[in-house]
Amino acid sequence: MGTALVYHEDMTATRLLWDDPECEIERPERLTAALDRLRQRGLEQRCLRLSAREASKEELGLVHSPEYVSLVRKTQVLGEEELQALSRQFDAIYFHPSTFHCARLAAGAGLQLVDAVLTGTVQNGLALVRPPGHHSQRAAANGFCVFNNVAIAAAHAKQKHGLHRILIVDWDVHHGQGIQYLFEDDPSVLYFSWHRYEHGRFWPFLRESDADAVGRGQGLGFTVNLPWNQVGMGNADYMAAFLHLLLPLAFEGQMQATPECFAHLTQLLQVLAGGRVCAMLEGGYHLESLAESVCMTVQTLLGDPAPPLSGPMVPCQSALESIQSARAAQAPYWKSLQLQDATPVPTSPSTHSPEGRPPPLLPGGPMCKAAAPAPAPAPSSFLDQPCLCPAPSVRTTVALTAPDTTLVLPPDVIQQEGSALREETEAWARPHKSLAREEALTALGKLLYLLDGMLDGQVNSGIAATPASAAAATLDVAIQRGLSHGAQRLLCVALGQLDRPPDLAHDGRTLWLNIGGKEAAALSMFHVSTPLPVMTGGFLSCILGLVLPLAYGFQPDLVLVALGPGHGLQGPHAALLSAMLRGLAGGRVLALLEEDSTPQLAGILARVLHGEAPPSLGPSSMASPEDVQALMYLRGQLEPQWKMLQCRPHLVA
């Protein structure tokens, strides 16, 4: 359906007319710099361009008092001295004769975007607006904000379109207290804000910006504040907050994040609500960073793969303290947090191991040398080196051994016709008896051809099929081929009856995650197995609490998702897993299916790898106690090596 870009050049009209060092950073160039960068990258041309309209008096009245709207209207006829005097009545605000017009356009842009998304005209979009809105309150301007654009859009979505559950994610550096005040007693709006707080010493200096402000009345638990108490929070801190706080809740019902990080955060949000995401510009006053962040957001909304994240993926202790404080404050209202935080970390795997074997020690323990022929390298030797993945010309390719007339694909997903050379295919197949049959060789040739296109940068993601009897051998070849033809770090998520290839080197270049194993086991920091959770809630907890933290900590440049014999996943579950892994490796994800899989499964995976939102998982359910215990056991085993698994600070004696 596409992506909308809502804008109006009149929003550049309002500007500061007098000297005020505090307010001078809110200037027209914030919009023009972002729009110029979108045009330079060719992104504006790919969007459905909508010209913003003014919000009506009635629409502004959804959240603002009539007296306040009338006050702002009068600024159109005030002189400079009167405007300055009125501005001094509010905190960090300036008015201009064009403020009322610009602020109505900013609010109207959000309304247009909501209407376009909820009527199916577009899938998602961005409203590029000023003045911003999230500090504005019912009867007061605040922090450069005149009308609360996001709050008006949310109220409009409820009133006009009948929505009952709306998620607002506010990742501005400042707390959006205006949105919080307007919805703090409303259980139909979940408001999440992370913001610089510094124990109350950073603007807006409010006690209610802390983690223990969780809403009021019926809205208890629907205000989620994550206060950052030191400067310098990086990509790992923001990703940890999403994985360990925001997404678990969303599925149940001077900062240093790089522009690339916003692409990953946007992509993770797109798995919610059928991908119906309305992004609106709020703050951002460093023009270069703002322009880049806007571009990254629009690229992601358009379905482009997110670029790799830079820097080590290790959350700092201050970030973990904030996340734990927020989780503790929210736990009384959210069962997903209650189950995990109330479950002690098992010290014995007896509940997971039928044989009652002692837990294997991870690299670094006394049995390290016996557990692996060569000791695994320290994570930093590979993980601190991001691998660049240039965007290919072809986004998604499907490589099936025979055309299927019932397979429905998006128009620009390509069905591969080529195959690797026969001699080359036979050479790769020779060590595996299960690949000797003609149908297995044919499937392997298709896979090798597709994999080479991905490794060469010609194709971004793909789907290949193999006979069930040859699934393990085909996956082994795919791993070896990937590692020998350019992949430095390869993540393999194997579902079903698929064992780690015995001849796979223990050199830290491959992270093997098996979902569907007989027991929860961390055989090494790069070899993890867990039973397939029996409930949807357990499956979500496994992805958010284990798979994604390990994957983002590993930072692969190639991802293999293998649905092997007895994988047990329904289409929507497989689609969600693939969609969330798509944020890794620049979207370079190869899904391997059994040939007898339904065409519907191949079609749904092709759509999510191409950038569409996964279908709903259906009614939510909580994880079973067994699933939670298995998850907590593995996290306890792996946290010392994989810091992205941490959601609470370590105590220092």
Side-chain angles (χ1 to χ4, degrees), residues 377-386 488-489 507-509 526 554:
S380 60
S381 63
F382 286 108
L383 308 188
D384 293 346
Q385 306 167 19
Q488 297 300 311
R489 296 188 297 273
D507 57 3
R509 294 180 61 197
F526 297 106
F554 186 58

Side-chain angles (χ1 to χ4, degrees), residues 16 48 78 85 114 231 264 276 305 313 326 334 352 373 409 493 546-547 624 633:
L16 185 64
L48 174 64
L78 297 181
V114 166
V231 298
H264 287 260
R276 298 190 299 182
M313 297 302 289
W334 297 94
H352 314 293
L409 298 173
V493 181
L546 182 68
V547 176
S624 69
Y633 167 70

Side-chain angles (χ1 to χ4, degrees), residues 35-112:
L35 191 61
D36 288 346
R37 189 67 55 86
L38 288 172
R39 288 168 175 166
Q40 291 169 9
R41 300 278 175 85
L43 296 171
E44 183 197 26
Q45 298 88 320
R46 295 171 57 191
C47 296
L48 174 64
R49 175 70 182 273
L50 299 177
S51 181
R53 66 168 175 85
E54 290 185 330
S56 68
K57 175 183 177 181
E58 291 73 23
E59 289 166 338
L60 297 175
L62 290 171
V63 302
H64 293 292
S65 69
E67 295 79 11
Y68 174 66
V69 174
S70 177
L71 175 68
V72 180
R73 179 185 293 110
K74 293 177 181 177
T75 61
Q76 298 176 99
V77 296
L78 297 181
E80 182 175 327
E81 290 186 1
E82 294 170 303
L83 289 169
Q84 191 169 0
L86 179 61
S87 300
R88 284 196 293 265
Q89 297 179 26
F90 301 98
D91 183 9
I93 273 291
Y94 69 85
F95 289 106
H96 180 278
S98 297
T99 291
F100 184 62
H101 175 52
C102 293
R104 289 179 68 191
L105 285 174
L111 299 175
Q112 278 184 285

Side-chain angles (χ1 to χ4, degrees), residues 281-631:
L281 181 65
E282 283 288 351
Y285 304 99
H286 183 282
L287 297 186
E288 176 66 22
S289 179
L290 174 64
E292 280 298 313
S293 298
V294 167
C295 283
M296 289 294 177
T297 300
V298 172
Q299 283 181 219
T300 307
L301 293 174
L302 285 164
D304 293 356
L309 291 173
S310 58
M313 297 302 289
V314 179
C316 70
Q317 285 297 299
S318 179
L320 293 175
E321 291 171 0
S322 295
I323 292 171
Q324 175 59 17
S325 296
R327 285 173 62 97
Q330 296 296 328
Y333 315 104
W334 297 94
K335 292 182 179 179
S336 58
L337 297 183
Q338 294 169 15
L339 286 171
Q340 289 190 25
D341 291 348
T343 301
V345 177
T347 58
S348 168
S350 58
T351 56
H352 314 293
S353 172
E355 297 85 359
R357 296 193 298 270
L361 297 180
L362 299 176
M367 293 182 63
C368 178
K369 291 183 179 179
S380 60
S381 63
F382 286 108
L383 308 188
D384 293 346
Q385 306 167 19
C387 299
L388 299 179
C389 303
S393 55
V394 177
R395 188 181 291 173
T396 307
T397 295
V398 176
L400 303 180
T401 52
D404 192 322
T405 57
T406 64
L407 178 61
V408 179
L409 298 173
D412 44 356
V413 170
I414 294 176
Q415 292 208 50
Q416 174 184 300
E417 297 181 359
S419 183
L421 295 175
R422 178 76 178 194
E423 296 80 2
E424 183 182 22
T425 303
E426 291 176 345
W428 281 102
R430 197 166 291 122
H432 304 279
K433 292 182 179 179
S434 61
L435 293 176
R437 299 180 63 179
E438 184 61 31
E439 59 268 26
L441 272 177
T442 301
L444 182 62
K446 291 273 189 179
L447 178 139
L448 292 173
Y449 188 87
L450 171 58
L451 187 56
D452 283 354
M454 294 175 61
L455 294 171
D456 293 341
Q458 301 172 17
V459 179
N460 189 228
S461 59
I463 299 172
T466 183
S469 60
T474 303
L475 180 58
D476 186 10
V477 171
I479 293 172
Q480 300 294 350
R481 178 75 166 201
L483 293 174
S484 63
H485 284 68
Q488 297 300 311
R489 296 188 297 273
L490 188 151
L491 167 65
C492 181
V493 181
L495 297 110
Q497 300 167 19
L498 292 170
D499 294 327
R500 185 180 187 273
D503 57 346
L504 189 59
H506 294 268
D507 57 3
R509 294 180 61 197
T510 305
L511 174 57
W512 175 277
L513 302 180
N514 178 225
I515 303 176
K518 295 180 180 179
E519 61 188 53
L523 301 175
S524 80
M525 68 179 291
F526 297 106
H527 182 186
V528 181
S529 176
T530 185
L532 177 68
V534 296
M535 305 293 288
T536 293
F539 182 71
L540 287 171
S541 296
C542 180
I543 294 178
L544 299 177
L546 182 68
V547 176
L548 289 181
L550 289 177
Y552 271 100
F554 186 58
Q555 298 184 72
D557 53 1
L558 178 63
V559 178
L560 301 180
V561 180
L563 276 65
H567 62 78
L569 281 190
Q570 298 179 0
H573 294 74
L576 177 68
L577 174 63
S578 300
M580 300 194 82
L581 290 172
R582 188 173 169 267
L584 300 152
R588 196 179 292 182
V589 179
L590 172 60
L592 180 62
L593 313 179
E594 296 177 284
E595 280 187 338
D596 57 359
S597 298
T598 63
Q600 289 83 358
L601 178 58
I604 194 174
L605 291 181
R607 289 191 288 275
V608 297
L609 291 179
H610 197 60
E612 295 186 19
S616 170
L617 298 182
S620 62
S621 62
M622 291 296 100
S624 69
E626 294 78 14
D627 291 341
V628 174
Q629 194 171 25
L631 174 63

